[in-house]
Every structure is written in structure tokens, then in C-alpha cells.
């Protein structure tokens, strides 16, 4: 059974700081890994999708890496802004149609 | 539509009543997913559809929960004889295919059972 763990559960940083969120998973036989953002009371917004054959994906100030063999992914956020405050979730797909989500990291960026 | 649409956005129901939650996926997306998120909890997989068929129903919590999809488009999640522990946000998502594509989520249906 796939298990996904995100560390830390919560993180508070001053504006402008670079930061790294971590995601680990137990079953390395994955289709892909996806990072999402969830704002309070809202649905999930996809940030980055990394296929199992890829090592990283970049979008603007976000960079996600994937080390499938070690069961790890990181989400790097450069030059953080207050608008980045949200909960960040990673999801791993090991069977077609089923993704297992971590519990998320709640990020607060202080002005 | 432009995104995944869910209705109702909020529903308060009395214990024991049945509820229906609707999801309208992005046009052309063959895969549709239902997840549940309880307060302060992570996402719990319920069921996914490929077209109108549901290859994986393993996440449905009990036989009070059922889902269907018609015309390869709209899906309905039905909860019969609701219980207080059913209170949660029910999130629907869709993707072009089940394998390897970005998953797009709706805003969710907030269900409160009183």
C-alpha cells in the first residue's frame, strides 16, 4: 500500500526567503507525482506534474524534483511571497486512476 | 466548461437523509475522480471512472455510498442514510486519461450532516 508523507506539517518563513517542501513515498513504482496548492475553503490547484521518467519540472518560481529510487520529491519555492501562503500537497499515482495524497505542508509567508 | 464544476457547493442535511452530489468534468476528460477531505485531514480516494465504468471502487467507505457516470461526462455521488461522520468536503477531479496526466479539481461540495 502506497503511503505518502510530507514534512514539515507547517512552515513559517519571512517574505523573500527560499524554501523547500519535502514529500516521501513508500512504493517507487509510480506513474507520476503531482504537487498541488490548496487555499482555505477551496479546491486543489495543480502546480507541477512530474512523470516517472522525469527528474524535475519548473514553473516560474517553483521547481519540483523527483528521485523515484529513493522515494522522494521536493518542491522548491524561490523568493517566497505572502501570496504563496497555502497548503501544499503532493500526490503519487501508482495505479491508473488512483492517486495517494500526503497530508500537506501548511506554508505561511510573513510580510 | 472551463473547469470542473461541482454542485451543490454547500449542503446541510439531517442525519438519515439521502444526498446527491454532482460533478461536471472538463469537456473531453475521460477520467473522473471522487475524493473526500474531512476537516483537517488529507484527501481520501473514493472512486474513479474511465468513461462510464468504474474500474476502482475500493475507496467507497460503505454500501451507503454509490456513484455513477453517464454519457462519459457528468457524475453523481450518492450517500444514503447520511451519518454525522459523512460530514466532509467531497472533491471531484478529472483528467484527459487516468495515466500520467494533470488532474484538475473542482471547488468541492461541503456536506454537513446534523
Amino acid at each position: 500500500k502506497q503511503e505518502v508523507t510530507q514534512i514539515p506539517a507547517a512552515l513559517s518563513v519571512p517574505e523573500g526567503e527560499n524554501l523547500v517542501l519535502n514529500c516521501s513515498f513508500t512504493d517507487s513504482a509510480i506513474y507520476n507525482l503531482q504537487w498541488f496548492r490548496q487555499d482555505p475553503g477551496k479546491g486543489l490547484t495543480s502546480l507541477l506534474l512530474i512523470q516517472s521518467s522525469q527528474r524535475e519540472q519548473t514553473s516560474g518560481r517553483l521547481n519540483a524534483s523527483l528521485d523515484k529510487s529513493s522515494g522522494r520529491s521536493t518542491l522548491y519555492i524561490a523568493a517566497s511571497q505572502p501570496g504563496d501562503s497555502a497548503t501544499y500537497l503532493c500526490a503519487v499515482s501508482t495505479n491508473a486512476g488512483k492517486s495517494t495524497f500526503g497530508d500537506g505542508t501548511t506554508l505561511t509567508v510573513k510580510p | 466548461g472551463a473547469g470542473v464544476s461541482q454542485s451543490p457547493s454547500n449542503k446541510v442535511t439531517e442525519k438519515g437523509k439521502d444526498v446527491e452530489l454532482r460533478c461536471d468534468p472538463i469537456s473531453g476528460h475521460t477520467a473522473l475522480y471522487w475524493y473526500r477531505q474531512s476537516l483537517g485531514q488529507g484527501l481520501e480516494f473514493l472512486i474513479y471512472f474511465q468513461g462510464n465504468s468504474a474500474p476502482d471502487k475500493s475507496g467507497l467507505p460503505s454500501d451507503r455510498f454509490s456513484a455513477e457516470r453517464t454519457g462519459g461526462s457528468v457524475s453523481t455521488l450518492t450517500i444514503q442514510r447520511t451519518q454525522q461522520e459523512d460530514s466532509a468536503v467531497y472533491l471531484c477531479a478529472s483528467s484527459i486519461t487516468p495515466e500520467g496526466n494533470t488532474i484538475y479539481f473542482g471547488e468541492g461540495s461541503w456536506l454537513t450532516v446534523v
Side-chain angles (χ1 to χ4, degrees), chain A residues 35-48:
Chain A
W35 282 94
F36 293 87
R37 167 186 174 136
Q38 187 174 31
D39 292 285
K42 299 290 187 180
L44 280 69
T45 300
S46 177
L47 298 173
L48 290 164

Side-chain angles (χ1 to χ4, degrees), chain A:
Chain A
K1 178 186 173 185
Q2 178 73 271
E3 293 182 0
V4 180
T5 303
Q6 291 188 246
I7 295 174
L11 180 64
S12 181
V13 300
E15 182 177 4
E17 203 165 279
N18 302 327
L19 59 102
V20 174
L21 307 180
N22 297 290
C23 172
S24 62
F25 48 95
T26 55
D27 185 349
S28 62
I30 66 171
Y31 278 112
N32 60 56
L33 183 145
Q34 196 162 349
W35 282 94
F36 293 87
R37 167 186 174 136
Q38 187 174 31
D39 292 285
K42 299 290 187 180
L44 280 69
T45 300
S46 177
L47 298 173
L48 290 164
L49 171 70
I50 310 177
Q51 303 290 356
S52 62
S53 59
Q54 296 175 325
R55 287 264 181 185
E56 66 177 341
Q57 283 287 333
T58 298
S59 176
R61 294 182 293 108
L62 304 179
N63 176 276
S65 69
L66 174 64
D67 184 343
K68 200 172 66 167
S69 61
S70 68
R72 293 179 184 177
S73 176
T74 61
L75 179 66
Y76 175 82
I77 303 177
S80 59
Q81 303 170 358
D84 294 331
S85 298
T87 296
Y88 290 81
L89 296 142
C90 74
V92 176
S93 174
T94 47
N95 294 314
K98 184 174 181 177
S99 291
T100 302
F101 282 77
D103 287 341
T105 294
T106 299
L107 173 65
T108 302
V109 181
K110 298 177 180 177

Side-chain angles (χ1 to χ4, degrees), chain A residues 31-32 34 36 38 41-44 46 49 51 89 93 96-99 101-103, chain B residues 33 35 37 41-43 45 48 56 58 91 98-103 105-107 110:
Chain A
Y31 278 112
N32 60 56
Q34 196 162 349
F36 293 87
Q38 187 174 31
K42 299 290 187 180
L44 280 69
S46 177
L49 171 70
Q51 303 290 356
L89 296 142
S93 174
K98 184 174 181 177
S99 291
F101 282 77
D103 287 341
Chain B
Y33 316 83
Y35 285 85
Q37 187 175 34
Q41 302 291 314
L43 270 74
F45 170 81
Y48 104 91
D56 191 342
S58 63
L91 291 162
E99 302 91 356
N101 295 112
T102 299
I103 301 172
F105 277 82
E107 293 287 293
W110 294 70

